[in-house]
């Protein structure tokens, strides 16, 4: 079914050199309101020439921006923090309108992003170098951190405000200028951000937004004036961005997809685990890179856990994200909704049991909704286990032992997040030692991003050697310079400075 089109489409262009720029390529993409299924906007797709203009603006702004003192830059970061804080509701509403997530969740997204800005308000401390006095006689060695120049960010649809903040906030604070290529599915938050940064006093050309598709991404990856690229998105594209960008000599960090497991041991607090499974499995309609996708029930935990989750499912109210009673919104596009729903066919066909079929509980209308869904008796060969579903279809895999559960997680090609539910501290400690995953939750569904710890998975969930934002983000957006210095002995000075002649 083709989506209805509203009469007045919002036209979404680019932002570079400190002004809004209408696209000239003639190529555009649709933006939808996922709750109604209607097209609400049209976003311009940048041409190679338009990317070049944005990069030129960033390059021109770079030399002056680099000279800003640390205290002046920190001061600006505080003003940005304040302005985004004042506009958090406006930003969140844009997220709900184009992504579909419920407003409370959208506000949570903005909050998590703001915390990254708060972290980089401490940039004078974060950029401190090291100093070794008397490395050799009369010689000192010290290191300084300098910005890379023009850096770029390419971001996914699922966190249209927060993930760009993961990138531009540390990049700018470190003294770089920035070109952002947001997801074409929900681009408006980035343009509002550009206006807010300008209002806060960010000089023209320091922050730029180019909307677009593969054409834009490919030009960014090969552009000679871009020194580094941060990417967050699906694994195939993350791998492509990493390989292409590094081949062109750039520094690249590329965060990919996920298949997060939650292991529930027989001694776990099952009520606590069931609450966590529901919130982390269905929050934001499962469209979070830290969503739980697989519950691994060990031994006797299985029946009790499935019953406890089943009991909670009718309470998850699915509806328009602007309705304050909604707890889960629609999926981002009709195509994605249909792909997610297809696991409710392939799962049972491959031997799984349907406990809850979200197709039967989706709200009426043309919105891209799928109700909460639960598959039991899933095995590692099934598509529902192998694929990153990225929607509200949760799978239960039953195993007999802790070792089997651990092996499952460690053999999975993704390694973004994992959770363990147990009352046994010794087992939890052993698990954090053994598990090959970048972010671990112990009796918490999945750890939420914390601004002062860098974020990133292992294995196919991250290509590159630096996690994003936090201390590793500062590393990524700076390069260090080691300086070795020696000064003539003041005692030998031709001018009498009052130094003793013999020391
Ligand atoms: P995506 O990979 O489809 O798109 C991400 C970006 O890449 C977008 O800006 C898009 O325009 C661009 N892109 C898409 N196809 C491209 C191509 N063929 N060539 C060049 N560029 C291309 O991802 P998405 O669907 O927007 O986002 C969801 C994915 O992001 C999920 O896999 C999710 O797990 C992942 N994600 C990961 C993290 C993390 O921290 N690891 C965080 C958020 C999202």
């Amino acid at each position: 079914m083709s989506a209805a089109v509203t009469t007045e489409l919002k036209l979404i262009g680019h932002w570079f050199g400190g002004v809004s720029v209408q696209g000239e390529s003639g190529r555009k993409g649709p933006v939808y309101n996922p709750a109604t299924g209607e097209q609400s906007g049209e976003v311009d797709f940048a041409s190679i020439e338009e990317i070049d203009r944005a990069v030129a603006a960033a390059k021109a702004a770079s030399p002056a921006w680099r000279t800003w003192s640390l205290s002046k830059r920190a001061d600006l970061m505080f003003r940005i923090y304040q302005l985004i804080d004042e506009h958090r509701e406006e930003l969140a509403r844009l997220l709900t309108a184009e992504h579909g997530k419920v407003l409370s969740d959208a506000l949570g997204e903005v909050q998590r992003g703001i915390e990254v800005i708060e972290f980089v308000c401490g940039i004078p401390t974060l950029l401190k170098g090291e100093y070794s006095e008397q490395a050799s006689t009369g010689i000192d060695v010290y290191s300084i951190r300098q910005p890379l120049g023009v850096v770029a960010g390419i971001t996914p649809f699922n966190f249209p405000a927060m993930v760009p903040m993961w990138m531009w906030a540390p990049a700018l604070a470190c003294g770089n200028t920035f070109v952002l290529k947001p997801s074409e599915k929900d681009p408006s938050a980035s343009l509002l951000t550009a206006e807010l940064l300008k209002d806060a006093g960010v000089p023209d050309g320091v922050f730029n937004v180019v909307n677009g598709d593969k054409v834009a991404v490919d030009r960014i990856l090969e552009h000679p004036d871009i020194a580094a690229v941060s990417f967050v998105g699906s694994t195939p594209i993350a791998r492509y961005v990493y390989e292409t960008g590094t081949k062109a000599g750039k520094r690249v960090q590329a965060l990919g997809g996920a298949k997060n497991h939650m292991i529930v041991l027989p001694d776990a607090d099952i009520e606590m685990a069931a609450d966590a499974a529901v919130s982390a499995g269905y929050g934001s309609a499962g469209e979070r890179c830290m969503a739980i996708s697989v519950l691994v029930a060990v031994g006797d935990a299985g029946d009790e856990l499935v019953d406890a989750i089943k009991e909670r499912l009718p309470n998850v109210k699915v509806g328009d994200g602007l309705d304050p009673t909604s707890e889960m919104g629609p999926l981002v596009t009709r195509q994605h909704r249909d792909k997610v729903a297809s696991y409710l066919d392939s799962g049972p066909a491959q031997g799984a049991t349907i406990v809850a079929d979200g197709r039967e509980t989706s709200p009426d209308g043309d919105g891209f909704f799928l109700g909460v869904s639960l598959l039991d008796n899933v095995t590692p060969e099934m598509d529902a286990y192998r694929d990153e579903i990225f929607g509200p279809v949760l799978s239960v895999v039953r195993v007999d032992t802790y070792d089997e559960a651990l092996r499952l997680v460690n053999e999975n090609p993704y390694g973004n997040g994992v959770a363990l539910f147990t009352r046994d501290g010794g087992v939890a400690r052993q698990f954090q030692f053994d598990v090959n995953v970048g972010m671990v939750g112990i009796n918490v569904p999945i750890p939420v991003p914390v601004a002062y710890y860098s974020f990133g998975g292992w294995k196919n969930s991250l290509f590159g050697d630096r996690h994003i934002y936090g201390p590793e983000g500062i590393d990524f957006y700076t390069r260090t310079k080691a300086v070795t210095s020696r000064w003539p002995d003041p005692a030998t000075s031709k001018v009498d400075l009052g130094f003793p002649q013999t020391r």
Side-chain angles (χ1 to χ4, degrees), residues 154-159 162-163 166 181-185 212-215 217-218 221 231-238 240-241 255-258 287-290 388 390 416 439 455-457 461-462 468:
I154 301 163
T155 53
F157 80 83
N158 68 326
F159 285 107
M162 178 188 76
V163 171
W166 287 0
K181 204 303 280 173
S183 169
E184 63 277 32
K185 295 190 177 93
D213 57 359
K214 182 171 166 53
V215 171
V217 170
D218 284 345
L221 294 178
F231 173 90
V232 176
S234 61
T235 288
I237 312 299
Y240 169 76
V241 164
L255 280 70
E287 291 173 326
R288 289 184 184 140
C289 65
M290 293 300 261
E388 179 185 27
F390 220 55
N416 215 39
M439 293 174 281
F455 184 97
S461 297
L462 186 140
I468 203 158

Side-chain angles (χ1 to χ4, degrees), residues 390-411:
F390 220 55
V393 178
L394 198 51
S395 298
V396 180
V397 176
R398 293 173 181 244
V399 299
D400 292 330
T401 63
Y402 164 83
D403 281 344
E404 269 182 83
L406 178 69
R407 194 173 332 119
L408 209 54
V409 174
N410 282 353
E411 286 177 359

Side-chain angles (χ1 to χ4, degrees), residues 1 10 193 295 359:
M1 181 170 52
K10 175 180 176 186
T193 301
L295 296 168
R359 294 171 297 192

Side-chain angles (χ1 to χ4, degrees), residues 160-182:
M162 178 188 76
V163 171
M165 288 184 205
W166 287 0
M167 303 174 182
W168 63 254
L172 260 52
C174 289
N176 302 283
T177 57
F178 197 82
V179 177
L180 172 65
K181 204 303 280 173

